Amino acid sequence: MPSMKKLAYLVTVVGALLSTPLMAQPAGQVQVVVGPAQLMDAGGKERELAQGGQINAGDRIVTGENALVQVRLSDGTYLSVRTNTDVVLDKYNYDEKSAGESSLLLKLARGALRSITGLIGSRSPDAYKVVTPGATIGIRGTDHEPVFIPVPKPGEVPIGQPGTYDKVNSGATFIETHSGVIHIQPGQVGFVPPVPGVAPKVLPEMPEFFRKLDLKRGESLGNRDGGRMPGERPMRPGGALAPGMVQTFRPNLELNTDLIQNLRPIQTIETIQPNLVVQPIQTIETIQPGLVVQPTTTVIQPTTTVIQPKTVIQPKTIIQPKTILLR
């Protein structure tokens, strides 16, 4: 029989274990860090961003000039966060047994990234979304490059026209806004400006800044010829960032904090505008109740046919009296 002290100790330990929340599984791992970059958790606390480091749901990555951060998520998704970018892995839930329980949501407040989707995107494409201010990017199993260029401040020169872009390398994507949706095929670039009431469109040619985003030293996710597929071993362009360099990088973290928190995926018009009442089309009187429709009266005139007699009976035989003289 255990002593009372041992029993009390066991009860205390078991109670502590039951009251301690289970640690969430990491969403992925940092593969490459080049140049100045910074990592913050959902509470805004900084963590060291280095090769081999852990990535969790809610983490925010901010890169500086000529920086590159590459992450591999547990479902096989590869993310390449490019220069001058602010992105949050807002939601991540990967269930190996149930595709319906898996989801991935990225909030891109500024900059560019490249994504080669993994099992979440291939098994349940609707569960993968990239949200920018004013637009939602969805996929159909793909390698694509979302970009958001904010409206510049006075004195700033943007790399391109402000708005949301998405370049498709393989597969297909779509850009959806309040004003419509556009489907994007391989080799195409979709675009929508941050202007209310303007629908997305496919650009006639690729913007020049996409070529400049391809770093000269190369990306481990692939190259301009189509890129590596998930599962291939990435290269190490330049090695991991020294810990001291992380502390010296201080981007303007308050620039898009509220913006990131307010980013929401666009669902449907009914969801975005719940007060919108669609009136069914009935008749002219229903649509324009003040319109008076004058009936059209057709007067049918009777047609009178006069039949003229064509036959005139002329007597043809005339009997002449014969005179007989009697002698």
Side-chain angles (χ1 to χ4, degrees):
M1 293 290 295
S3 65
M4 293 300 295
K5 288 184 178 180
K6 289 183 178 179
L7 185 60
Y9 174 76
L10 290 174
V11 171
T12 302
V13 171
V14 172
L17 291 174
L18 293 176
S19 62
T20 302
L22 295 176
M23 295 297 292
Q25 293 295 321
Q29 188 179 57
V30 178
Q31 301 285 300
V32 173
V33 180
V34 177
Q38 195 170 18
L39 176 67
M40 287 146 286
D41 62 19
K45 183 179 178 181
E46 295 183 27
R47 296 204 319 269
E48 181 181 0
L49 182 61
Q51 185 177 5
Q54 180 175 305
I55 292 291
N56 303 318
D59 282 351
R60 178 183 182 185
I61 297 176
V62 183
T63 60
E65 189 69 28
N66 294 323
L68 177 68
V69 176
Q70 294 182 354
V71 174
R72 182 182 182 184
L73 302 180
S74 60
D75 77 317
T77 295
Y78 279 89
L79 298 175
S80 180
V81 183
R82 290 163 159 176
T83 179
N84 294 322
T85 297
D86 189 344
V87 63
V88 175
L89 180 60
D90 188 69
K91 294 180 182 179
Y92 183 82
N93 181 33
Y94 174 52
D95 190 332
E96 294 182 3
K97 299 180 180 180
S98 176
E101 298 297 325
S102 300
S103 62
L104 193 161
L105 175 62
L106 294 168
K107 291 184 176 181
L108 180 62
R110 183 187 73 246
L113 59 90
R114 181 177 178 183
S115 171
I116 299 178
T117 56
L119 293 178
I120 293 178
S122 61
R123 293 177 178 177
S124 183
D126 291 336
Y128 173 103
K129 293 288 188 298
V130 179
V131 179
T132 68
T136 296
I137 298 173
I139 59 102
R140 291 294 178 264
T142 205
D143 172 1
H144 70 130
E145 302 178 43
V147 175
F148 178 72
I149 303 175
V151 176
K153 292 183 176 181
E156 291 182 345
V157 180
I159 62 173
Q161 181 181 349
T164 298
Y165 298 80
D166 195 37
K167 172 177 171 282
V168 176
N169 299 316
S170 64
T173 68
F174 63 86
I175 298 178
E176 185 177 7
T177 69
H178 293 258
S179 302
V181 59
I182 188 69
H183 295 272
I184 311 162
Q185 302 302 320
Q188 295 180 335
V189 178
F191 169 72
V192 60
V195 179
V198 179
K201 64 180 180 179
V202 174
L203 297 179
E205 59 183 14
M206 185 185 303
E208 183 62 27
F209 67 78
F210 273 103
R211 297 180 178 88
K212 296 179 180 179
L213 287 174
D214 293 331
L215 300 181
K216 293 181 179 179
R217 55 177 169 267
E219 285 188 86
S220 65
L221 290 183
N223 51 41
R224 299 177 187 177
D225 297 328
R228 288 182 169 80
M229 296 302 294
E232 292 190 28
R233 183 179 180 85
M235 299 182 295
R236 298 183 180 180
L241 178 66
M245 189 178 297
V246 175
Q247 277 73 32
T248 58
F249 175 56
R250 290 294 181 272
N252 185 0
L253 301 181
E254 298 180 358
L255 177 64
N256 293 300
T257 300
D258 295 335
L259 183 62
I260 288 177
Q261 293 175 350
N262 294 328
L263 289 180
R264 294 291 184 272
I266 293 175
Q267 302 294 335
T268 60
I269 295 177
E270 287 74 16
T271 302
I272 299 167
Q273 300 176 350
N275 295 326
L276 177 64
V277 178
V278 180
Q279 296 292 341
I281 298 176
Q282 300 291 342
T283 61
I284 296 177
E285 288 76 15
T286 302
I287 300 171
Q288 299 177 351
L291 177 64
V292 178
V293 180
Q294 297 293 338
T296 302
T297 303
T298 302
V299 179
I300 300 175
Q301 298 293 338
T303 303
T304 303
T305 303
V306 179
I307 301 175
Q308 299 292 336
K310 297 181 178 180
T311 304
V312 178
I313 301 174
Q314 298 290 337
K316 296 182 177 180
T317 305
I318 300 174
I319 301 174
Q320 297 292 334
K322 294 182 179 182
T323 303
I324 301 175
L325 298 177
L326 295 179
R327 294 177 180 264

